[in-house]
Amino acid sequence: MVADPTQADTGGANAPLYARISDALAAVLFVAVVAGSVLGLTRYNDARDYSRAVQARVGKLADDLAARVVQTGPRAADTLPDGVASAYVVVSGGTDDFGIAVGSQVAASHVSDPAAAPPTPDGKQIFDQGLLNLSAEFQDYHSKGQPVPSDRHFSVAGLNANETLFAANAQVLDGNEFKGIVQVTVRVPNPTPSTPTSQLGLMLLLTLGLAFGASYLTGLHRRLALGAAVGVGVAFTFVGQPFGFILWPGLVGLGLGAAFVTGVASVFRGVREQPRTYVYVVPAMIGMIVLVFVPFAMGVAIAFFSSDGDFTGFGNFQEILNPSATTHPNFYWTTSVTILWTVLNVLLHVSIGVALALVLNRPKLRLKALYRVLLIIPWAVPNYITALIWKSMFNQQYGAVNSLLDVIGVEQVNWIGPGSSFASNFIADLTTNTWLGFPFMMVVTLGALQSIPKELYEAADIDGAGRWQRFRTVTLPLLKPALIPAIILGVVWTFNMFNVIYLVSGGAPENETNILITEAYYAFKVLHRFGLAAAYSILIFFMLLIYGWMQNRVTRATEGAFE
Amino acid sequence: MSATKKLGRKSPWPAIGTHGVLAFVTLLTMYPLLIVLRIALSPGDSGMTPSLNPVPHEFSLDNFIAVVTNTSAQGDWLFGRQLLNSVVISIATTVLGIFLATTAAYAFSRFRFPGRKAGLMAFLVSQMFPGVLMMVPLYLILEALGLLNASFGLVVVYATIAIPFCVWMLKGYFDTIPKDLEESAIMDGASQFTIFWRIILPLSMPAVAVTALFSFMTAWNEFVLAFTFMEEPKAFTLPVTVYSYVGEQSVEWGKFAAASIIVSIPIMVLFFALQKNLVGGLTAGGVKG
């Protein structure tokens, strides 16, 4: 989002008021995003830690009571430690012949805090019935030998703005016999947020003022001043925290602000100056932001959490980039396979596509339209169907590939079945994707060939150029502008070609033919480790970004697009 | 082959050679599809034989009938329902996709405004976002917007997936339209929107057709998101059902083949109808140097 050089300098003493407001709003936007996400994360983590601590404390009270009930009976609820708001004991009558729990009753209740008691007699009846149902549910888990899920173990009810009634339930077990349940409730204060809301408001005002002031500067000074406004605003949000917690977000804000605020501010200014232009772009942009860029940002955030929701910093990345010796296939194997896969595929797509296009482009070829239609077909078939079709073709017993080998007298190959080798699985994937991908390159080449003027070939003929020379000196250079962007797209699509790998070889043998995207999906779907999957995805993204950037530097493929 | 070129009378051999190569490659390309046709037209899974012959041993439409008459336990006609879902979702995606992509591409092609370069770059870079990363957040966002299990949710997601490629392609195409026409239109007092609607769009029909095809394909073929975001079989699109025939529980190759053919036919028809545009639209547009 770096501003176009033409409008880099918009500040200064004579800048219009709306330009200053644009600067201020852009800076505030950055503070809101940076400080908002850091604060959101810390508040989320604090709340989790707090609720875990309360769960441990109240859970222990419930367990103690359950143990005492086993020894001294339900009346154990009459003597309670300080701080307990209420306690209930449900005694189960066991199960009938059909295995259904019967004869449960609330055997004892002790309410020391009136706020914890049900308000009316009707309410009490409903409350008691709820306890009996809960007991039956616990008994069911016990008889099936399953652990009680945590949302049945603990529950919360808000009392007022500052306090919560926290309830813990525990099973009463005599040996291994289910006797009933106990419920203990405790009144707990809500955690106070580490940064008060008033401080957040102040910090936004501060940023607004500083950025407004920064708009009186020009050029690099304005840039740095806007960065400083963002940095100060972010840092101010965390006043009261340890020093490191103020410094780092502040520095991140400073860097981001200096790099990007002027760009965003110029967009705001543009909206004011030529609102009609933006009307055309805004619908598409809103869709992209809400459904592509925001999910991407959320995905990036997920990469820094473990599967339990704990913040782990770079833990997931470390696990991928520094694999243990027993991890096979590890990240470096998978990356090599992915690169091999991409290079071979694109090479085959381009060479087959260009070759066919050259043949089809002959001036007096009969049936040209028919050939072209038939050769485009693989592109028209949905690619998951293609993948599944080829999977059936590579079936060892019934597949057409082995039947064909049989005809030419080659022994049957176990392509993708259990016990098949890496090479055979990889070839199966490669064949499928080649079939799928060459028509795109063919169509692109055909289009580019049509735009090559005939005179160039005539001139080459006069110069006495042979076929190969004509191709090398006339055709190829003129195909390049069309082919290079197509190759970039092809590389990106092949690098992330999930369907073929997942549906044909499925990563067999032992995930060895997985490429990075299917490995990420494996972490997501099989291991249920969203953080790890997200970390994989970010690595994929950066590899593609670096590739695209380098390719663009070398070939200047997108150069003309921005003029 | 080059040796024959110098002769005044043309030898038939180069042509025969060319046709030989083309026919062979075409056969190779078509063969998997012929096998699918055989599996679909044989009774049950009996078409799944080691034979290389693409003609079925025994001809039967049972698989097609089974796929088309697929009903749920409650007696709902699932196939009809899912076909309707697919058609409605794909058409809505196409309409929304064309609207979003043509307007954005027009602005990127004709106006110079702050954020233009960044916006174009952002569209390009978004192609590199891996889908796995987006799935959980997208689920949460659709849930928050109340669009889970709603066709409209899928339409919006598909349209945004299709936008970046379409915008780049259309922008490239719009760039090739000479500006003289617009200038004379402005002389005549035409508004910016009139120029877009009356001049640019009609002149760009090949590229718009490709955009339409691409949006339609995105929606019609997609199954991972449809499978994740839709819970009831009644809300599924056809690809989810096709995939379920070779899912983890059972493998019914006959039904799979028949369903694949049914699902592929509309796309193929569109491809053939638009293939002239495809060659022109793609190259003049998205992949222009």
Side-chain angles (χ1 to χ4, degrees), chain A residues 420-470:
Chain A
S420 52
S421 70
F422 169 80
S424 68
N425 276 291
F426 190 79
I427 290 172
D429 289 340
L430 191 63
T431 312
T432 308
N433 204 45
T434 305
W435 189 82
L436 193 112
F438 77 83
F440 174 71
M441 295 294 174
M442 186 183 86
V443 169
V444 168
T445 315
L446 273 176
L449 284 175
Q450 284 173 3
S451 61
I452 297 179
K454 300 265 179 309
E455 296 80 38
L456 284 178
Y457 287 113
E458 281 158 19
D461 276 347
I462 291 167
D463 290 345
R467 251 171 205 281
W468 169 246
Q469 258 182 316
R470 267 174 31 163

Side-chain angles (χ1 to χ4, degrees), chain B residues 19-42:
Chain B
H19 280 284
V21 170
L22 277 177
F24 177 73
V25 175
T26 310
L27 181 72
L28 216 59
T29 309
M30 294 295 294
Y31 190 72
L33 301 174
L34 295 177
I35 295 286
V36 172
L37 214 53
R38 179 187 79 191
I39 297 172
L41 289 173
S42 304

Side-chain angles (χ1 to χ4, degrees), chain A residues 1-2 4 7 266-267 269-270 274 277-278 280-281 283-285 287-288 290-296 298-300 302 356 359-360 362 364-367 369 371-385 388-393 395 397-400 403-404 407 435 438 440 443-444 446-448 450 461 467 481-482 485-486 489 492-493 496 498-499 502-503 517 520-521 524-525 530 533-534 537-538 540-541 544-545 548 552 557-558 560-563, chain B residues 1-2 5 10 14 18-19 22-23 25-26 28-33 35-36 38-39 48-52 99-101 103-104 106-108 111-138 140-142 145 156-157 160 163-165 168 171 175 192-193 196 214 217 220-224 227 238-240 242-243 246 248 253 256 259-260 263-264 267-268 271-272 275-276 278-279 282-283 286-289:
Chain A
M1 290 198 195
V2 182
D4 298 350
Q7 51 249 146
S266 69
V267 173
R269 219 193 62 243
Q274 39 183 129
T277 307
Y278 287 88
Y280 288 91
V281 198
M285 265 303 174
M288 290 292 290
V290 174
L291 295 171
V292 177
F293 294 109
V294 170
F296 179 74
M298 287 166 75
V300 171
I302 290 175
L356 285 175
V359 175
L360 283 179
R362 294 202 176 164
K364 281 174 193 145
L365 185 73
R366 281 158 196 261
L367 300 175
Y371 284 127
R372 193 170 64 189
V373 163
L374 292 179
L375 287 171
I376 291 179
I377 281 186
W379 191 9
V381 181
N383 67 17
Y384 69 98
I385 289 181
L388 290 167
I389 289 171
W390 278 91
K391 186 180 181 164
S392 79
M393 303 258 300
N395 187 303
Q397 258 182 303
Y398 307 113
S403 311
L404 194 70
V407 170
W435 189 82
F438 77 83
F440 174 71
V443 169
V444 168
L446 273 176
Q450 284 173 3
D461 276 347
R467 251 171 205 281
L489 266 182
V492 172
W493 286 342
N496 283 339
F498 173 81
N499 282 353
Y502 182 72
L503 295 174
I517 189 86
Y521 188 75
F524 171 76
K525 194 81 184 186
F530 303 150
S537 307
I538 291 170
I540 294 173
F541 170 67
L544 287 175
L545 198 64
N552 205 20
T558 55
F562 295 121
E563 71 208 10
Chain B
M1 280 195 269
S2 56
K5 223 185 87 207
K10 277 194 181 156
T18 310
H19 280 284
L22 277 177
V25 175
T26 310
L28 216 59
T29 309
M30 294 295 294
Y31 190 72
L33 301 174
I35 295 286
V36 172
R38 179 187 79 191
I39 297 172
M48 200 58 192
T49 57
S51 157
L52 278 177
F99 168 72
L100 295 175
T103 48
Y106 176 64
F108 281 127
F111 305 135
R112 296 292 173 271
F113 53 94
R116 172 174 175 273
K117 193 174 169 182
L120 274 173
M121 241 354 178
F123 281 170
L124 199 64
V125 168
S126 75
Q127 291 287 291
M128 300 172 179
F129 293 174
V132 177
L133 185 68
M134 323 283 279
M135 244 152 63
V136 173
L138 212 49
L140 296 176
I141 288 173
L142 286 188
L145 295 175
V156 177
V157 172
T160 42
I163 284 176
F165 182 78
W168 269 84
K171 180 205 162 273
D175 283 349
Q192 201 58 258
F193 182 77
F196 169 63
F214 191 77
M217 264 174 78
W220 185 264
N221 292 347
E222 204 286 329
F223 80 98
V224 178
F227 186 67
L238 279 181
V240 180
V242 177
Y243 182 59
V246 282
E248 275 127 33
W253 286 111
F256 162 73
S260 302
V263 171
S264 307
I267 295 287
M268 291 204 188
F271 250 82
F272 297 152
Q275 64 139 336
K276 279 268 178 216
L278 205 59
V279 175
L282 257 185
T283 31
V287 288
K288 176 198 152 243

Side-chain angles (χ1 to χ4, degrees), chain A residues 208-298:
Chain A
L208 204 69
L210 285 175
F212 197 88
S215 69
Y216 282 91
L217 300 169
T218 53
L220 186 65
H221 289 124
R222 171 168 162 261
R223 237 164 218 273
L224 289 175
L226 285 173
V230 173
V232 169
V234 172
F236 188 75
T237 321
F238 299 100
V239 167
Q241 301 268 4
F243 180 65
F245 222 99
I246 304 173
L247 183 69
W248 286 111
L251 283 178
V252 169
L254 182 76
L256 277 178
F260 297 116
V261 168
T262 47
V264 175
S266 69
V267 173
F268 285 167
R269 219 193 62 243
V271 173
R272 166 73 172 69
E273 281 168 2
Q274 39 183 129
R276 287 189 180 194
T277 307
Y278 287 88
V279 170
Y280 288 91
V281 198
V282 159
M285 265 303 174
I286 288 180
M288 290 292 290
I289 288 172
V290 174
L291 295 171
V292 177
F293 294 109
V294 170
F296 179 74
M298 287 166 75

Side-chain angles (χ1 to χ4, degrees), chain A residues 291-513:
Chain A
L291 295 171
V292 177
F293 294 109
V294 170
F296 179 74
M298 287 166 75
V300 171
I302 290 175
F304 296 95
F305 287 84
S306 75
S307 47
D308 301 326
D310 289 320
F311 184 74
T312 58
F314 284 95
N316 288 317
F317 292 94
Q318 203 179 2
E319 187 181 333
I320 295 170
L321 295 173
N322 187 15
S324 68
T326 52
T327 315
H328 181 77
N330 64 28
F331 172 75
Y332 300 98
W333 168 278
T334 310
T335 305
S336 313
V337 171
T338 312
I339 292 172
L340 184 71
W341 158 258
T342 309
V343 169
L344 286 179
N345 267 308
V346 174
L347 218 59
L348 284 167
H349 291 168
V350 173
S351 48
I352 296 175
V354 170
L356 285 175
L358 287 175
V359 175
L360 283 179
N361 199 45
R362 294 202 176 164
K364 281 174 193 145
L365 185 73
R366 281 158 196 261
L367 300 175
K368 188 191 283 187
L370 178 71
Y371 284 127
R372 193 170 64 189
V373 163
L374 292 179
L375 287 171
I376 291 179
I377 281 186
W379 191 9
V381 181
N383 67 17
Y384 69 98
I385 289 181
T386 305
L388 290 167
I389 289 171
W390 278 91
K391 186 180 181 164
S392 79
M393 303 258 300
F394 280 108
N395 187 303
Q396 187 176 10
Q397 258 182 303
Y398 307 113
V401 177
N402 272 347
S403 311
L404 194 70
L405 288 183
D406 218 30
V407 170
I408 56 173
V410 180
E411 211 172 299
Q412 287 206 338
V413 177
N414 176 10
W415 290 102
I416 51 175
S420 52
S421 70
F422 169 80
S424 68
N425 276 291
F426 190 79
I427 290 172
D429 289 340
L430 191 63
T431 312
T432 308
N433 204 45
T434 305
W435 189 82
L436 193 112
F438 77 83
F440 174 71
M441 295 294 174
M442 186 183 86
V443 169
V444 168
T445 315
L446 273 176
L449 284 175
Q450 284 173 3
S451 61
I452 297 179
K454 300 265 179 309
E455 296 80 38
L456 284 178
Y457 287 113
E458 281 158 19
D461 276 347
I462 291 167
D463 290 345
R467 251 171 205 281
W468 169 246
Q469 258 182 316
R470 267 174 31 163
F471 176 71
R472 213 173 49 90
T473 55
V474 179
T475 316
L476 208 53
L478 289 171
L479 280 185
K480 242 166 110 183
L483 268 182
I484 281 168
I487 289 174
I488 297 180
L489 266 182
V491 167
V492 172
W493 286 342
T494 312
F495 203 89
N496 283 339
M497 181 44 85
F498 173 81
N499 282 353
V500 170
I501 302 277
Y502 182 72
L503 295 174
V504 177
S505 76
E510 290 180 4
N511 292 339
E512 279 181 10
T513 51

Side-chain angles (χ1 to χ4, degrees), chain A residues 34-110:
Chain A
V34 176
S37 43
V38 178
L39 264 186
L41 286 182
T42 45
R43 280 197 182 179
Y44 168 79
N45 251 358
D46 289 351
R48 273 173 51 90
D49 291 349
Y50 184 76
S51 111
R52 277 184 188 168
V54 173
Q55 277 182 10
R57 185 160 69 84
V58 185
K60 187 164 182 314
L61 286 174
D63 288 343
D64 288 350
L65 179 60
R68 286 195 293 124
V69 168
V70 173
Q71 284 163 12
T72 62
R75 303 301 337 157
D78 289 342
T79 48
L80 291 168
D82 283 347
V84 173
S86 69
Y88 295 89
V89 179
V90 177
V91 173
S92 164
T95 50
D96 64 10
D97 296 344
F98 302 102
I100 295 167
V102 289
S104 307
Q105 54 168 329
V106 180
S109 64
H110 184 93

Side-chain angles (χ1 to χ4, degrees), chain B residues 63-97:
Chain B
N63 283 319
F64 284 95
I65 293 167
V67 167
V68 171
T69 57
N70 180 25
T71 44
S72 74
Q74 287 84 35
D76 291 317
W77 185 36
L78 277 184
F79 176 82
R81 201 47 220 258
Q82 291 166 351
L83 179 68
L84 188 71
N85 289 340
S86 272
V87 169
V88 169
I89 288 176
S90 305
I91 291 178
T93 302
T94 311
V95 172
L96 187 64

